[in-house]
């Protein structure tokens, strides 16, 4: 191999390796969801998930999640989890509610490493699970850049 | 000695009994993800807030587990039901002995 070839291969190895190691895959996201859900069935819907379809800067993405629930002692939303398929770590945040919350709604700001599908998973007080997903396109990615 | 930083919590001063009121809690924190590298290729150690808890008269209202996927200066907007006048405590804990506590009071009419 000549000098140029060595240079090019080392360059591609350098630029590709952090990306390959630092990105989860859809199956890892499914495993992350499995760890929360266990063997119980997961229904689709019931969750309002607001995430911009086009994100300019993945470092700070405002999201809002709301689940319809009376929030009484017998029927309330226990938890809402956010799982991103292409982030280095699929788990983004888990929020836990009680009947004292009054409303199962939360807004926060997350990081997105790439264009991807983001899941919101809700656990009810009767241990039933609901989920919904949003596809988003990210132009400037977060998390893995050099500083 | 634990590390701390500035935090701001916004909630109404008064609320009617049974009313659901909004709480906004923001804290100053880098949320270093642990996935970034310096130009020399050295990985920057993870330094994030791990947990945020809000209690109302000692009872838990809202709790959140944070991962590196949360942006810097974490903001949470959530709700609580007004039952009795009293105090709300907001607690952030994280890596490297990070601890910030903010207390607020609310009057229920």
């Amino acid at each position: 191999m000549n000098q140029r070839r060595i240079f090019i291969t080392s360059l591609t190895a350098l630029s590709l390796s952090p990306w390959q190691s630092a990105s989860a895959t859809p199956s890892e996201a499914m495993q992350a969801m499995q760890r929360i859900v266990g063997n119980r069935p997961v229904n689709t819907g019931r969750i309002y998930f607001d995430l911009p379809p086009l994100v300019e800067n993945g470092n700070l993405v405002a999201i809002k999640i709301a689940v319809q629930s009376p929030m009484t002692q017998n029927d309330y939303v226990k938890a809402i989890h956010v799982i991103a398929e292409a982030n280095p770590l699929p788990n983004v945040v888990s929020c836990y509610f009680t009947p004292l919350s009054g409303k199962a709604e939360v807004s926060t700001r997350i990081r997105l490493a790439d264009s991807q599908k983001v899941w919101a998973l809700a656990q009810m007080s009767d241990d039933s699970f609901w989920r919904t997903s949003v596809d988003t396109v990210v132009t400037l990615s977060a998390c893995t850049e050099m500083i | 000695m634990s590390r701390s930083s500035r935090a701001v919590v916004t909630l109404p001063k008064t609320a009617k009994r049974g009313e659901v009121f909004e709480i906004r809690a923001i804290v100053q924190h880098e949320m270093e993800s642990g996935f970034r590298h310096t130009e020399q290729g050295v990985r920057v150690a993870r330094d994030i807030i791990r947990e945020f808890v809000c209690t109302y008269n000692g009872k838990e209202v809202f709790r959140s587990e944070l991962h590196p996927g949360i942006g810097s200066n974490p903001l949470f907007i959530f709700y609580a039901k007004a039952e009795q006048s009293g105090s709300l405590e907001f607690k952030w804990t994280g890596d490297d002995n990070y601890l910030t506590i903010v207390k607020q009071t609310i009057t229920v009419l």
Side-chain angles (χ1 to χ4, degrees):
Chain A
M1 274 206 281
N2 60 25
Q3 282 294 328
R4 201 170 71 100
R5 180 75 45 87
I6 293 168
F7 176 70
I8 290 168
T9 46
S10 61
L11 205 69
T12 44
L14 261 175
S15 59
L16 283 178
S17 55
W19 285 101
Q20 282 168 345
S21 64
S23 177
T25 57
S27 74
E28 275 177 56
M30 288 302 140
Q31 281 170 17
M33 238 181 289
Q34 186 93 48
R35 274 196 291 275
I36 298 164
V37 174
N39 294 322
R40 291 163 287 200
V42 182
N43 309 298
T44 305
R46 211 174 149 175
I47 306 170
Y48 168 80
F49 187 11
D50 184 19
L51 173 78
L54 179 69
V55 174
E56 219 164 89
N57 184 351
N59 279 308
L60 219 53
V61 186
I63 62 162
K64 179 174 164 182
I65 304 168
V67 183
Q68 282 293 325
S69 166
M71 295 305 270
T72 58
Q73 222 29 269
N74 302 321
D75 183 8
Y76 64 97
V77 180
K78 253 191 197 170
I80 294 175
H81 309 270
V82 179
I83 287 151
E85 287 190 348
N87 271 17
L89 258 181
N91 295 75
V92 176
V93 67
S94 300
C95 298
Y96 300 88
F97 301 88
T98 66
L100 289 174
S101 309
K103 200 159 145 186
E105 186 179 314
V106 61
S107 304
T108 187
R109 303 179 301 192
I110 66 168
R111 290 178 174 140
L112 293 175
D114 208 346
S115 301
Q116 57 179 300
K117 183 177 276 197
V118 185
W119 291 90
L121 176 72
Q123 182 179 10
M124 306 297 163
S125 53
D126 61 359
D127 275 341
S128 66
F129 286 89
W130 296 80
R131 72 178 177 193
T132 193
S133 68
V134 174
D135 286 289
T136 183
V137 174
V138 180
T139 44
L140 176 69
S141 72
C143 304
T144 45
E145 82 276 28
M146 291 219 250
I147 56 166
Chain B
M1 194 52 200
S2 57
R3 281 195 309 149
S4 189
S5 62
R6 216 155 60 96
V8 176
V9 177
T10 316
L11 69 152
K13 283 195 171 65
T14 59
K16 288 198 184 92
R17 192 176 300 275
E19 186 189 328
V20 175
F21 60 92
E22 187 189 78
I23 302 170
R24 291 164 170 261
I26 189 165
V27 64
Q28 199 172 38
H29 199 287
E30 279 288 311
M31 293 295 280
E32 184 56 59
S33 68
F35 295 110
R36 300 202 301 169
H37 294 77
T38 61
E39 276 177 45
Q40 287 74 38
V42 182
R43 187 176 278 234
V44 184
R46 181 168 299 167
D47 180 10
I48 61 167
I49 292 175
R50 299 278 172 173
E51 196 183 50
F52 167 61
V53 188
C54 166
T55 51
Y56 182 4
N57 285 338
K59 282 185 273 185
E60 185 181 300
V61 170
F62 177 85
R63 182 163 57 91
S64 187
E65 277 168 17
L66 290 78
H67 298 281
I70 288 289
S72 50
N73 304 331
L75 162 77
F76 284 102
I77 304 172
F78 57 98
Y79 297 84
K81 199 180 199 172
E83 292 199 323
Q84 276 175 341
S85 300
S87 66
L88 286 102
E89 192 191 79
F90 306 86
K91 190 165 103 178
W92 292 263
T93 47
D95 295 335
D96 196 16
N97 282 323
Y98 181 87
L99 175 69
T100 296
I101 296 174
V102 170
K103 280 184 181 134
Q104 295 264 26
T105 54
I106 188 161
T107 310
V108 176
L109 305 170

